[in-house]
Amino acid sequence: MAQTVSRIRTIVQAHSARFERAIPLIASENLLSPYAKELLISDLHSRYAEGLPGERYYEGNEQVDEVENLCLDLARRLFRCSFADVRPTSGTVANLAVLKAFAEPGDLVGTSRLADGAHISSASFGAFGLRGVKPVYYAWDPEQMTIDVPRTREILRAVRPKLCLFGLSLFLFPMPIEELRPTLEEIGARAWYDGAHVLGLIAGGEFQDPLHEGCTVLSASTHKTLPGPQHGILLGQTSDPEVAKRLQSGAFPGVTSNHHLHAMAALAVSLAEHLEFGREYAHRTVENARALAQALHDRGFDVLAANLGFTRSHTLAVRVEKEGGGEEAARRLAAAGIIANKNLLPGDKSPKHPGGVRLGTPEVTRVGMGPKEMERIAELFDRLLHQHRPVEEVAAAAAELKSGFTTMKYCFAAGEAAYRYYDLVGRPPA
Ligand code: DSN
């Protein structure tokens, strides 16, 4: 078994080395800061702390309570809100906690379709199905790449869901919550926002602010545009103690036992870092997404929503049918060291054959790339997918570009020591 352990280490070293050379463009990924990362392997990893600070089921939690109270305070400050719960262990777990709090099996819950960019939480084979709620789908406007408000008003009035979820995994533009709010009030539906993708942009003032537009709760994972650990969060702006109580009991004992104290502590660091650096980071992330979209468009790629400036978030979507389809394009890009994912786009005929790729700028922004580098990335796309240059040639150019960006920004202890893909597992054998 010692050999197997050694092999696992070697595989992970190879993975790290690959990503150090790569251009990572997965919209849902980011890099964790050094101070946050070290807490992931602290003793907190070995401990239990069920319940809330000051009301634990285990002894030995005094320091955990202190960290969690700090984490809650930082979350409320960053999102300018009155309620936070940092116990969900992921975004999907946070979504389950909301469903537990505000819906019963058999209830109708409004959401978007997967093909229109919704997260799998909304699917019958995902969190919705697990809670036994029935989705009511909003109408979609493919020209505007957002919810079709007049048609959705009609649907909501006719079907009257109890809870309405807003938020996407292909999230280009803000959701029309303020426009739909009078209809939601008329039918007595509660608004819920899944902000996993855009959490760091909301905090940085670069996207809509759902808690101040009428949403009762904002659920999210904490490792996308908010560059924190893999974890989850619930946020709310309410004076109703019943809402807070229901969300808290949805989180625990509803959908978690222990809440991964090491990740919770790392989240506290990431929230503090975002309070310090988040405004600039969010601004640069969106600026880069728009620059990459424009540069790809200028090279003949079919970037969605060109008439709307492509995107107002960290994400852009490119229809790549003429480049071989989403699967083939993503595979060739990855072989050349450009990591993205195939993605269903509105109007795709088959869910098995996505017509697009989704690109995101959280990680390339985190290492300090700017609009000039977005031009160079678009040029790599062009060389690979339009000029059909050899994969090895494009991979070498991608690695050369990345080699100029080996430090992490927007965090404390930023600098040479901060960008350490290799810090724990060492360098791969030569
Ligand atoms: N799977 C993630 C994404 O890539 O959008 C969301 O959980």
Side-chain angles (χ1 to χ4, degrees):
M1 279 303 120
Q3 270 182 352
T4 306
V5 170
S6 165
R7 179 162 156 62
I8 292 165
R9 285 174 59 85
T10 305
I11 295 168
V12 175
Q13 287 165 353
H15 165 90
S16 302
R18 175 184 182 193
F19 270 78
E20 189 174 51
R21 286 191 303 271
I23 309 288
L25 293 173
I26 302 276
S28 50
E29 293 181 351
N30 214 324
L31 296 174
L32 191 58
S33 79
Y35 285 140
K37 202 184 252 185
E38 74 180 9
L39 293 175
L40 290 183
I41 52 158
S42 67
D43 182 73
L44 292 173
H45 176 268
S46 307
R47 306 299 158 202
Y48 264 95
E50 290 177 348
L52 285 166
E55 308 165 14
R56 304 293 193 188
Y57 293 79
Y58 295 82
E59 295 304 322
N61 286 155
E62 287 76 7
Q63 287 78 21
V64 175
D65 285 3
E66 228 177 301
V67 174
E68 190 161 326
N69 278 328
L70 270 171
C71 191
L72 291 168
D73 183 48
L74 289 162
R76 288 187 295 254
R77 274 173 62 194
L78 186 57
F79 293 95
R80 307 166 286 277
C81 65
S82 59
F83 171 81
D85 193 314
V86 290
R87 293 175 299 171
T89 50
S90 75
T92 299
V93 168
N95 287 347
L96 278 167
V98 176
L99 286 166
K100 174 88 171 37
F102 298 132
E104 299 294 328
D107 281 349
L108 298 174
V109 181
T111 189
S112 301
R113 291 176 195 279
L114 295 196
D116 297 332
H119 184 245
I120 47 167
S121 288
S122 298
S124 56
F125 51 81
F128 270 43
L130 202 59
R131 184 63 174 143
V133 299
K134 296 184 188 136
V136 170
Y137 293 117
Y138 309 137
W140 186 255
D141 181 343
E143 296 302 314
Q144 302 295 315
M145 282 302 284
T146 192
I147 291 169
D148 179 325
V149 172
R151 283 168 55 218
T152 299
R153 280 194 188 119
E154 285 172 25
I155 294 168
L156 293 176
R157 283 198 186 106
V159 188
R160 303 178 82 86
K162 181 175 177 184
L163 181 64
C164 283
L165 167 59
F166 299 97
L168 300 166
S169 288
L170 182 67
F171 211 159
L172 305 184
F173 298 101
M175 301 258 95
I177 294 163
E178 290 193 305
E179 291 90 322
L180 287 170
R181 193 168 160 179
T183 312
L184 297 175
E185 281 168 7
E186 182 188 315
I187 64 168
R190 196 186 284 285
W192 157 30
Y193 195 94
D194 178 347
H197 264 268
V198 290
L199 195 66
L201 307 183
I202 293 170
E206 285 291 323
F207 210 66
Q208 68 189 138
D209 192 348
L211 292 178
H212 299 93
E213 292 171 21
C215 290
T216 303
V217 58
L218 162 55
S219 59
S221 56
T222 55
H223 49 266
K224 297 183 169 82
T225 50
L226 184 91
Q230 296 253 356
H231 201 67
I233 195 165
L234 295 169
L235 299 155
Q237 177 62 16
T238 175
S239 51
D240 182 352
E242 184 57 25
V243 164
K245 232 169 81 187
R246 283 215 232 167
L247 286 168
Q248 282 171 333
S249 94
F252 173 85
V255 292
T256 57
S257 161
N258 197 27
H259 51 286
H260 300 183
L261 311 179
H262 52 307
M264 180 276 291
L267 175 61
V269 167
S270 304
L271 294 170
E273 290 180 329
H274 213 71
L275 274 160
E276 185 88 8
F277 307 106
R279 286 205 162 256
E280 193 192 340
Y281 172 66
H283 180 74
R284 300 262 173 252
T285 301
V286 176
E287 180 181 61
N288 277 344
R290 293 175 76 108
L292 180 57
Q294 185 65 56
L296 287 167
H297 175 80
D298 293 346
R299 283 166 178 77
F301 284 93
D302 181 5
V303 186
L304 265 57
N307 55 329
L308 302 169
F310 306 106
T311 182
R312 282 176 55 195
S313 76
H314 61 302
T315 301
L316 50 141
V318 189
R319 197 175 288 285
V320 286
E321 268 142 26
K322 68 179 189 312
E323 288 83 10
E327 190 160 5
E328 169 67 7
R331 196 188 52 74
R332 286 178 64 199
L333 287 164
I338 300 166
I339 314 291
N341 62 276
K342 59 179 182 273
N343 217 94
L344 272 184
L345 297 181
D348 275 354
K349 301 279 177 299
S350 158
K352 291 200 180 130
H353 300 290
V357 288
R358 182 186 69 169
L359 309 176
T361 52
E363 189 166 339
V364 289
T365 306
R366 184 92 156 132
V367 295
M369 290 191 186
K372 264 200 267 169
E373 286 71 39
M374 299 306 110
E375 280 279 339
R376 289 182 64 188
I377 293 173
E379 190 197 319
L380 297 177
F381 271 67
D382 191 42
R383 278 161 71 178
L384 185 75
L385 298 178
H386 288 166
Q387 299 173 34
H388 302 289
R389 301 298 306 163
V391 163
E392 300 73 26
E393 177 192 306
V394 180
E400 203 270 320
L401 168 59
K402 185 70 176 298
S403 68
F405 294 88
T406 56
T407 63
M408 200 187 304
K409 316 285 184 202
Y410 310 105
C411 56
F412 295 115
E416 285 302 326
Y419 188 58
R420 296 178 298 177
Y421 281 120
Y422 300 103
D423 49 359
L424 299 176
V425 287
R427 290 215 161 247

